[in-house]
Amino acid sequence: MPTSRGFDTFFGYCNGFIDYYDYTHLYPSGMSPLEEQYQESFYGIDLQDGTKVVKDIRGQYATDLFTEKANIIIRNHDTSKPLFLYLPHLAVHTGNRYRPLQAPFEVVNQFDYIRNQSRKTFAGMVAKMDNSVGNVFEALHDKNMLANTIFVFASDNGGETNLNKNGYASNYPLRGKKFTIWEGGIRVPAFIWSPLLQLREPRISNQLMHVTDWLPTLYTAAGGDTRDLRDVDGQSIWDALVTNSPSTRTEILHNIDPIYNISSLRRGDLKLITGNLTTDLGTWSGRVVLEDMDKPQSMDEWVFKNGCKTRDILKKMGMYLPQAADTWRKGSEVKCDGVPETANECKPLHAPCLYNITADPCEMKNIANHYPEVVQSMLDTIKTYEKQAVNPQFQDQDPHGDPMCHGFAYVPWLDPEHITNCPFF
């Protein structure tokens, strides 16, 4: 549990998702990840406060509940001491398969211009998460903490676009989706706000960064010495962010998957993809979601038409940096030459594919044939990483963890206090 891994408090769930209103998790029956045995379904409550299962709260929308708990921590914080608050929302992940998309109806009804009902609900889920960001920012303001705060918003993967998996997101014009190593699956939106960045105007960061870099980056910003972290994969790019200088990172290992035999490496501007990749090769999905809207003349006017807590607070503090509408967004929009129909062929199963991600973020122009020596060098690097890789540790389902054995709740079933002679084995 997080409280055994450095956190003082924890309120949340342990599985990949839960229902937005009753906080249960349905682990569906089916084959194990390695397809070695059939697994029965598990179903039970997955909401913990510290190490205790929470059974007396039901019916409050999960995004609001987690925001409320975060704001309580902020209100009760002793500002003479540092605070690290990690708020990994359930939103906008789907819930249980029997009701995957959930949002309050009054919020969903704000999106009547969206014709598809599922997409309309998904928009409501996004809106509630957006409101949460504003509410947390407001709590920090009310506590007079913003002047010494670093506020980070980041996603963990690209959106799911497969409608059969209730995917109503869009990564377009990027190629790919969740669970793929195309840019649509791994290139995610993020922002960082802080007076400590000493910005005079908004800036689009083009520094290369991997998710593992957040730890040393934030540790450096807080005054720590990254040598204290010892052997970690991440690199601090705090100085690069403050001075707008090149990132110290020049290479990212996107993936080595020995089960499906797929690997990908980024080096500078170039990205190599190799292995048994036979599906989603032509996936530039998400264009369909654009059918319901026309791009407004002013994006700022459209976004702020119903008000914005964060903008109002920053203006009140004299810290709102944009001087003119929309200009601060320039450079953030992904633009690509060509259309998917004209993309040249890439079949990683037969030969590695190489892309200049800076010039071709939509991965339409495979340039591997033009740079055979670069391809070989990057393949050699992947082989070096493979020698250090640890085998995946998929575990088959353990019947001792069935929530029916633990009062209809997910618990750390191997801990002594939870060991039981359950009749469901």
Side-chain angles (χ1 to χ4, degrees):
M1 301 296 280
T3 49
S4 299
R5 294 173 175 268
F7 285 90
D8 296 317
T9 63
F10 167 64
F11 186 90
Y13 55 99
C14 295
N15 284 288
F17 56 87
I18 55 175
D19 183 88
Y20 278 79
Y21 287 100
D22 67 21
Y23 324 127
T24 59
H25 174 76
L26 172 64
Y27 188 97
S29 58
M31 297 303 295
S32 67
L34 296 180
E35 298 189 354
E36 292 181 352
Q37 73 174 51
Y38 185 82
Q39 298 182 151
E40 297 295 337
S41 62
F42 281 2
Y43 182 59
I45 296 170
D46 186 8
L47 186 65
Q48 282 79 26
D49 188 350
T51 58
K52 296 182 179 179
V53 176
V54 178
K55 293 187 175 182
D56 59 347
I57 303 176
R58 289 294 176 273
Q60 184 176 1
Y61 191 63
T63 305
D64 294 338
L65 177 61
F66 296 140
T67 303
E68 178 184 289
K69 295 297 182 180
N71 287 349
I72 290 174
I73 291 174
I74 294 171
R75 286 198 299 269
N76 295 334
H77 179 63
D78 179 357
T79 56
S80 67
K81 300 178 181 179
L83 170 66
F84 176 75
L85 177 63
Y86 178 49
L87 178 56
H89 268 302
L90 169 62
V92 292
H93 201 287
T94 53
N96 292 323
R97 60 167 54 179
Y98 55 82
R99 197 64 178 261
L101 303 175
Q102 297 175 306
F105 77 90
E106 66 272 14
V107 179
V108 175
N109 285 342
Q110 296 174 10
F111 300 94
D112 283 342
Y113 60 88
I114 298 178
R115 294 192 292 269
N116 183 285
Q117 182 59 46
S118 294
R119 272 204 63 240
K120 188 182 299 184
T121 303
F122 185 70
M125 297 164 69
V126 175
K128 290 298 289 184
M129 180 181 64
D130 182 62
N131 291 340
S132 171
V133 173
N135 290 333
V136 171
F137 198 82
E138 183 179 44
L140 291 167
H141 169 65
D142 293 344
K143 192 70 175 182
N144 295 317
M145 294 174 64
L146 285 180
N148 196 32
T149 286
I150 300 173
F151 200 108
V152 174
F153 178 92
S155 179
D156 57 351
N157 52 254
E160 178 60 75
T161 62
N162 186 339
L163 299 183
N164 294 325
K165 297 181 179 179
N166 299 292
Y168 292 90
S170 175
N171 308 304
Y172 192 80
L174 296 178
R175 187 177 189 173
K177 62 183 186 66
K178 183 178 180 179
F179 295 126
T180 72
I181 43 83
W182 302 109
E183 291 295 284
I186 62 176
R187 180 173 177 153
V188 298
F191 72 76
I192 179 171
W193 175 92
S194 176
L196 303 179
L197 289 170
Q198 305 172 43
L199 293 176
R200 294 185 177 182
E201 59 182 3
R203 186 173 74 228
I204 304 299
S205 171
N206 293 307
Q207 285 96 340
L208 189 63
M209 184 177 186
H210 186 257
V211 65
T212 56
D213 297 334
W214 279 121
L215 171 60
T217 296
L218 296 177
Y219 192 72
T220 298
D225 186 337
T226 55
R227 288 175 294 185
D228 299 338
L229 303 176
R230 291 180 285 187
D231 188 20
V232 297
D233 293 321
Q235 302 175 26
S236 173
I237 67 165
W238 178 252
D239 290 340
L241 292 174
V242 171
T243 62
N244 196 23
S245 55
S247 170
T248 56
R249 175 175 289 282
T250 59
E251 189 172 274
I252 293 178
L253 176 66
H254 286 313
N255 198 15
I256 292 180
D257 187 336
I259 296 177
Y260 296 102
N261 187 29
I262 299 172
S263 299
S264 180
L265 178 74
R266 170 80 180 263
R267 180 186 293 168
D269 295 329
L270 301 177
K271 174 182 174 183
L272 185 77
I273 298 174
T274 185
N276 188 24
L277 189 62
T278 57
T279 60
D280 296 316
L281 292 178
T283 303
W284 284 271
S285 54
R287 278 186 291 179
V288 66
V289 308
L290 303 178
E291 295 175 355
D292 291 340
M293 65 175 291
D294 295 320
K295 187 173 181 179
Q297 292 293 322
S298 169
M299 187 64 73
D300 273 17
E301 181 179 331
W302 184 72
V303 169
F304 297 137
K305 63 182 179 180
N306 295 320
C308 176
K309 282 185 179 180
T310 303
R311 184 186 61 165
D312 293 344
I313 290 170
L314 291 175
K315 283 189 173 182
K316 181 179 178 180
M317 299 175 64
M319 299 175 65
Y320 188 68
L321 296 180
Q323 300 299 312
D326 299 314
T327 56
W328 63 284
R329 298 175 183 273
K330 290 182 178 179
S332 64
E333 186 176 354
V334 176
K335 298 181 179 180
C336 303
D337 294 329
V339 293
E341 291 77 12
T342 62
N344 64 353
E345 193 170 80
C346 168
K347 293 183 178 180
L349 180 60
H350 298 105
C353 302
L354 185 69
Y355 297 94
N356 185 320
I357 293 301
T358 303
D360 178 28
C362 299
E363 296 167 296
M364 295 185 180
K365 301 175 183 178
N366 178 13
I367 58 175
N369 290 338
H370 300 291
Y371 301 97
E373 293 181 357
V374 173
V375 170
Q376 187 57 54
S377 174
M378 295 179 75
L379 286 173
D380 291 343
T381 298
I382 290 176
K383 290 179 181 178
T384 299
Y385 279 122
E386 286 176 341
K387 294 177 182 178
Q388 307 171 36
V390 177
N391 290 330
Q393 299 183 39
F394 280 127
Q395 299 292 322
D396 287 325
Q397 192 180 58
D398 188 336
H400 294 84
D402 190 339
M404 297 303 293
C405 299
H406 305 283
F408 193 60
Y410 288 91
V411 299
W413 70 95
L414 292 180
D415 289 355
E417 64 269 28
H418 293 300
I419 293 178
T420 178
N421 294 318
C422 182
F424 297 108
F425 295 164

